[in-house]
């Protein structure tokens, strides 16, 4: 199991993130943290954990390239069969990996995800995102039901796949890529993680997110104008409902 964590100026939250990995009941993992030219004390904090646990690895980028490039670098050097994603401000519940890996093995699945809790910058509960039990490629075009912090895919079944394309939606384009190779992704209804909503996060900027979504349809998936309009209306509808 390889855990992919991009980190940029994450000193406020990275300890919570790493601790949530160390607390996992499933222990066969490596955590690859890619520092994207941070200017704060986050790398010193990470190094402190590395001295205690060699499963944590820290790689430095030569220039700030964004979370997509950082994740791709980590995927490239990863050694685990399974690829999981955990950003430097999010948290896993202790049984997350064990529950999800068992779910994948018991059902012969290659791409899974789960529901997750929502928290603010101080860790205050903001509710829960209840995901769908399964989703196809066309379903993913309508709305993204896969939280990046819950996603796991099996490289033994589908190979190593990388993020690309539109800023802020790189994980979404990866899910679409995977769903062109498998019929469905399958979700665990139980929340297994905590997604931190920051004051400056893209999830709060609905207009910019909508622009990026349109670019995914037209530039990445190369859908016709008619199909793009159809799926964009679906996206807007589900976007209003998503966290309400």
């Amino acid at each position: 199991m390889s855990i992919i964590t991009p980190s940029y100026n994450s000193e406020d939250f990275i300890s919570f993130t790493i601790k949530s990995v160390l607390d996992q009941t499933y222990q066969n993992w490596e955590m690859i943290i890619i520092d994207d030219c941070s200017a704060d004390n986050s790398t010193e904090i990470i190094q402190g954990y590395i001295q205690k646990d060699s499963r944590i690895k820290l790689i430095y980028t030569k220039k700030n390239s964004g979370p997509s490039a950082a994740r791709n670098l980590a995927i490239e050097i990863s050694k685990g069969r399974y690829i999981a994603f955990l950003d430097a401000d999010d948290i896993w519940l202790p049984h997350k990996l064990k529950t999800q890996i068992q779910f994948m093995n018991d059902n012969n699945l290659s791409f899974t995800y789960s529901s997750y809790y929502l928290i603010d910058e101080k860790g205050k509960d903001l509710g829960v995102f209840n995901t769908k039990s399964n989703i196809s490629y066309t379903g993913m075009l309508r709305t993204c039901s896969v939280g990046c912090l819950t996603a796991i895919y099996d490289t033994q079944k589908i190979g190593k796949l990388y993020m690309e394309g539109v800023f802020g939606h790189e994980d979404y384009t990866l899910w679409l890529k995977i769903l062109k190779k498998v019929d469905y992704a399958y979700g665990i209804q139980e929340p297994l993680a905590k997604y931190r909503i920051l004051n400056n996060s893209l999830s709060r900027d609905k207009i910019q997110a909508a622009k990026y979504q349109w670019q995914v349809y037209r530039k990445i998936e190369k859908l016709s104008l008619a199909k793009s309009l159809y799926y964009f209306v679906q996206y807007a509808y589900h976007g209003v409902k998503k966290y309400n």
Side-chain angles (χ1 to χ4, degrees):
M1 161 65 67
S2 295
I3 302 162
I4 308 302
T5 301
S7 175
Y8 176 69
N9 290 345
S10 61
E11 65 179 2
D12 291 339
F13 307 115
I14 190 64
S15 288
F16 298 104
T17 301
I18 295 175
K19 286 178 181 177
S20 77
V21 174
L22 293 172
D23 288 342
Q24 290 299 302
T25 55
Y26 179 94
Q27 287 287 303
N28 185 20
W29 51 261
E30 63 172 355
M31 184 180 192
I32 305 173
I33 304 174
I34 305 296
D35 179 73
D36 201 19
C37 298
S38 294
D40 64 0
N41 294 319
S42 53
T43 56
E44 287 81 0
I45 295 171
I46 297 165
Q47 287 288 0
Y49 284 100
I50 290 174
Q51 292 175 12
K52 300 175 183 178
D53 198 314
S54 61
R55 292 174 297 175
I56 304 170
K57 302 172 177 64
L58 178 61
I59 309 297
Y60 298 89
T61 60
K62 294 181 179 179
K63 64 177 182 178
N64 182 268
S65 303
S68 177
R71 292 187 187 113
N72 286 343
L73 175 58
I75 293 171
E76 183 178 355
I77 65 176
S78 66
K79 298 178 180 178
R81 171 179 175 177
Y82 298 99
I83 300 291
F85 300 92
L86 180 63
D87 284 356
D89 50 9
D90 294 330
I91 298 169
W92 283 346
L93 299 188
H95 60 293
K96 194 266 188 192
L97 288 181
K98 183 178 181 180
T99 300
Q100 203 161 345
I101 294 300
Q102 184 174 341
F103 177 63
M104 296 178 78
N105 288 336
D106 289 349
N107 297 284
N108 193 30
L109 304 176
S110 55
F111 180 30
T112 65
Y113 53 97
S114 78
S115 299
Y116 53 90
Y117 295 107
L118 308 170
I119 60 175
D120 65 12
E121 291 189 353
K122 296 182 179 180
K124 181 181 178 181
D125 180 30
L126 297 176
V128 62
F129 175 71
N130 293 305
T131 195
K132 297 181 178 181
S133 59
N134 62 73
I135 191 165
S136 64
Y137 173 77
T138 55
M140 185 66 73
L141 288 174
R142 292 184 178 93
T143 182
C144 183
S145 298
V146 179
C148 189
L149 73 165
T150 72
I152 297 179
Y153 75 86
D154 186 345
T155 64
Q156 192 173 99
K157 293 181 180 297
I158 62 177
K160 283 188 178 182
L161 298 176
Y162 298 86
M163 296 188 178
E164 63 176 310
V166 178
F167 175 77
H169 278 44
E170 300 95 341
D171 54 342
Y172 178 57
T173 62
L174 175 57
W175 314 153
L176 290 170
K177 188 183 298 184
I178 294 174
L179 287 169
K180 291 176 184 176
K181 298 175 73 73
V182 301
D183 291 333
Y184 289 94
Y186 291 89
I188 297 171
Q189 299 304 296
E190 177 188 0
L192 297 177
K194 295 183 179 182
Y195 174 67
R196 195 183 303 272
I197 298 179
L198 305 179
N199 291 331
N200 61 348
S201 68
L202 181 64
S203 58
R204 290 189 180 275
D205 190 343
K206 303 300 183 184
I207 295 177
Q208 189 61 63
K211 291 179 180 178
Y212 291 149
Q213 186 74 16
W214 181 255
Q215 291 179 36
V216 170
Y217 294 146
R218 297 293 282 160
K219 294 183 178 180
I220 305 299
E221 298 305 304
K222 301 186 185 305
L223 301 181
S224 67
L225 179 60
K227 282 189 174 181
S228 296
L229 286 169
Y230 169 77
Y231 285 117
F232 188 80
V233 170
Q234 295 288 316
Y235 158 81
Y237 169 75
H238 288 289
V240 170
K241 292 178 58 180
K242 194 166 187 179
Y243 295 129
N244 295 328

